Amino acid sequence: QITLKESGPTLVKPTQTLTLTCTFSGFSLSTSGVGVGWIRQPPGKALEWLALIYWDDDKRYSPSLKSRLTITKDTSKNQVVLTMTNMDPVDTATYYCAHDPVVTEYYFDYWGQGTLVTVSS
Amino acid sequence: AIRMTQSPSSLSASTGDRVTITCRASQGISSYLAWYQQKPGKAPKLLIYAASTLQSGVPSRFSGSGSGTDFTLTISCLQSEDFATYYCQQYYSYPPTFGQGTKVEIK
């Protein structure tokens, strides 16, 4: 049974760096073909894909946010970490991590519950 | 990036109705399309991938069709638990992109 759960601050100030952790179980990021991605959703708006990391440490980023994002994994802890620099109020959103079952096919079959991050001074 | 456009943005329907949601890609994406269902305050749930393959555990009243640029999600007999927002997502090319969503409301 695959589960994922996001953790991190609920409130960050503008210009600060956001660090979110995805802790998962039911699969290993050392298994060939497996990936974990991050997707966000501003209140009342649509989903936006942010980043992905694969078992072989291949990383993909949203072109529009690439300069601000870093995704890393800790296979021993079953965790994936996303950092986003220079946070702005427009980055207020629910942030989800999700399991990508097929390498280079960027769809997501299991999702975490999401964590709402508010950017405000 | 490929733009995904869903129509309608919202619809009202009754339990038992047949509902169809359309998703159009700004360029051809073969069959690299997924559909998700999202209920308020919950994470999206994968319904369909590869345009027409039902995810394990998803009721058979959900079906998907299409290829290239035009796709549809059909709910054959709407149930009360199906009132939600539905999103399409292309994964033909990087970056993956989502449609703006279609909210299915109770008439």
Side-chain angles (χ1 to χ4, degrees), chain A residues 53-111:
Chain A
I53 190 166
Y54 286 108
W55 87 102
D56 60 355
D57 212 38
D58 183 22
K59 302 168 186 178
R60 304 294 172 97
Y61 295 102
S62 166
S64 62
L65 294 167
K66 185 174 183 177
S67 64
R68 299 173 54 205
L69 295 173
T70 303
I71 190 169
T72 60
K73 62 180 175 69
D74 186 330
T75 304
S76 65
K77 293 183 178 179
N78 280 351
Q79 290 182 333
V80 171
V81 175
L82 181 75
T83 61
M84 180 180 291
T85 62
N86 194 24
M87 293 293 285
D88 182 272
V90 300
D91 296 314
T92 294
T94 296
Y95 288 74
Y96 298 98
C97 63
H99 174 262
D100 178 352
V102 181
V103 64
T104 73
E105 293 196 358
Y106 315 118
Y107 69 91
F108 305 97
D109 58 352
Y110 293 91
W111 294 60

Side-chain angles (χ1 to χ4, degrees), chain A residues 41 49 61 96 106-108 112, chain B residues 36 38 42-43 87 89 94:
Chain A
Q41 184 174 38
W49 174 79
Y61 295 102
Y96 298 98
Y106 315 118
Y107 69 91
F108 305 97
Chain B
Y36 300 88
Q38 187 179 33
K42 300 295 186 182
Y87 292 93
Q89 180 224 324
Y94 160 81

Side-chain angles (χ1 to χ4, degrees), chain B residues 11-19 77-79 83 105-107:
Chain B
L11 65 90
S12 296
S14 301
T15 302
D17 285 352
R18 180 182 181 90
V19 169
C77 183
L78 197 67
Q79 301 298 300
F83 291 98
E105 300 175 298
I106 301 173
K107 181 182 284 186

